[in-house]
Amino acid sequence: MTTMGAGMDGQVGRRRGALLAATALAAALALTGCGAGDRGAQDSAGSAAEAPAANGGEAGRDAAAGAPEGAGAGAPDLRVDQRAIIYTGTMRVQVNDVDSAAREAAAVATRAGGFVGGDQRRSADADAVAELELRVPAAKFTGVVEEIAKLGRQQNREINTQDVTEETVDLDARITSQRARVDSARRLLARATSITDLVSLENELGRREADLASLEAKKRRLADLTALSTITVSLAGPAAKATEEEAETGFLVGLRGGWKAFVASMTVLLTVLGALLPWLVAFGVPLGVLLVVLRRRRRSPALVATVSAPPPVPATRSAP
């Protein structure tokens, strides 16, 4: 009986141990699941908190992109003074004294740091006209135009601009590339070992240097046009007529133009005829007299031969 009781007590102990182990495992699994859930919730909260921040950053970048120019440190520099612009202008001003106004216009250009590139004068009366070509710095272009307009009564003005920034940048790139090609040809020429290679490389080097010189000349021309603007000024006297007349059309205008052309043609024809008439008189009259004399001499022997010839004698017939 004692042995059986001891066996039963051992089985009960083992069952209790197994039950405790199962309970401990279940508790551990439950704690693990709770920790995972808490970490998932924290991750979700962190993601939700980061999303507005990201949206706020994108919104900030969009706002910076739409902000006025110059508000941000990385805004592009689009100032006009950073571009290559050619300014040209033509204007006509009616003045009382053409010579005095021309001197004043030249003085205005000189004070602005420019010079007079051309000066043409026509007549010296009330219908006198002076045409000046002024070269002034681009920064003083507008001021010089306004000062010249105050010399008299402005009749017309035309201002033109040409942006050559892209052409200037392209020329710079081409010049840099061409200089590299010239240097390469010079290095190859220095290492030439035969007469054939030497002649070929010299020709290639000359061609490349000529292309480089042409590009540099274009660059200097553009630099001159952008640095100094051109103003063509016409100073007209009180009685000078306007150079630009309104275009007329119609049948009468065409008829008038055709009549003028006909009169001009007849004038030219009569002028040529008048120039040739002395020569015709000097050489034509003696030549005509000579031709008449020669023609009469040719006719005279024929008449004499006809009169002096005896009449033909009829031939006699012999009797049968």
Side-chain angles (χ1 to χ4, degrees):
M1 289 293 293
T2 304
T3 305
M4 292 180 61
M8 291 178 64
D9 291 338
Q11 291 179 358
V12 171
R14 286 193 296 271
R15 289 177 181 176
R16 288 179 179 176
L19 181 59
L20 292 174
T23 303
L25 181 60
L29 291 176
L31 292 175
T32 304
C34 292
D38 293 339
R39 284 194 299 272
Q42 292 176 357
D43 294 340
S44 299
S47 300
E50 291 174 0
N55 293 334
E58 294 177 358
R61 286 193 295 271
D62 294 340
E69 185 179 341
D77 188 2
L78 300 178
R79 292 177 297 175
V80 176
D81 56 357
Q82 299 299 322
R83 307 189 67 83
I85 301 177
I86 300 175
Y87 295 91
T88 56
T90 58
M91 56 189 309
R92 181 181 175 90
V93 182
Q94 189 175 28
V95 297
N96 295 326
D97 189 349
V98 173
D99 292 336
S100 176
R103 288 192 296 270
E104 182 61 25
V108 170
T110 304
R111 287 195 299 268
F115 59 91
V116 179
D119 187 348
Q120 296 181 358
R121 310 287 179 93
R122 293 195 298 271
S123 181
D125 301 327
D127 60 344
V129 176
E131 292 187 358
L132 305 179
E133 181 179 334
L134 307 179
R135 302 296 305 280
V136 298
K140 305 292 185 62
F141 178 81
T142 304
V144 172
V145 169
E146 294 298 335
E147 287 191 37
I148 293 176
K150 297 177 182 178
L151 296 178
R153 187 172 66 88
Q154 182 178 259
Q155 294 181 337
N156 57 57
R157 179 195 296 189
E158 183 178 355
I159 305 298
N160 297 315
T161 60
Q162 181 182 2
D163 191 346
V164 293
T165 305
E166 295 182 0
E167 187 174 354
T168 303
V169 173
D170 179 67
L171 274 177
D172 290 338
R174 293 174 62 185
I175 288 173
T176 303
S177 175
Q178 193 65 25
R179 284 175 179 170
R181 296 184 63 192
V182 169
D183 294 340
S184 175
R186 287 174 179 172
R187 287 193 298 270
L188 292 175
L189 181 62
R191 293 197 299 265
T193 57
S194 64
I195 300 298
T196 303
D197 294 341
L198 184 64
V199 173
S200 177
L201 289 172
E202 284 180 349
N203 294 334
E204 180 64 19
L205 178 60
R207 185 180 64 82
R208 293 184 180 185
E209 288 178 343
D211 293 342
L212 177 60
S214 177
L215 293 175
E216 290 177 343
K218 291 181 180 178
K219 178 64 182 301
R220 288 192 299 269
R221 176 61 177 170
L222 280 180
D224 176 70
L225 292 175
T226 53
L228 293 176
S229 302
T230 303
I231 307 174
T232 303
V233 183
S234 296
L235 301 172
K241 297 181 180 179
T243 56
E244 296 182 359
E245 299 179 355
E246 296 182 357
E248 299 180 356
T249 57
F251 174 77
L252 296 178
V253 176
L255 181 61
R256 185 165 58 249
W259 175 253
K260 290 181 180 180
F262 174 74
V263 171
S265 301
M266 292 301 299
T267 302
V268 174
L269 180 61
L270 292 177
T271 303
V272 174
L273 182 60
L276 294 178
L277 186 59
W279 299 90
L280 293 176
V281 174
F283 295 99
V285 174
L287 183 60
V289 173
L290 181 61
L291 291 177
V292 171
V293 172
L294 291 177
R295 186 174 296 176
R296 287 181 178 180
R297 286 184 178 181
R298 289 179 182 177
R299 290 179 180 178
S300 298
L303 293 175
V304 172
T306 302
V307 173
S308 62
V313 179
T316 59
R317 296 181 179 181
S318 61

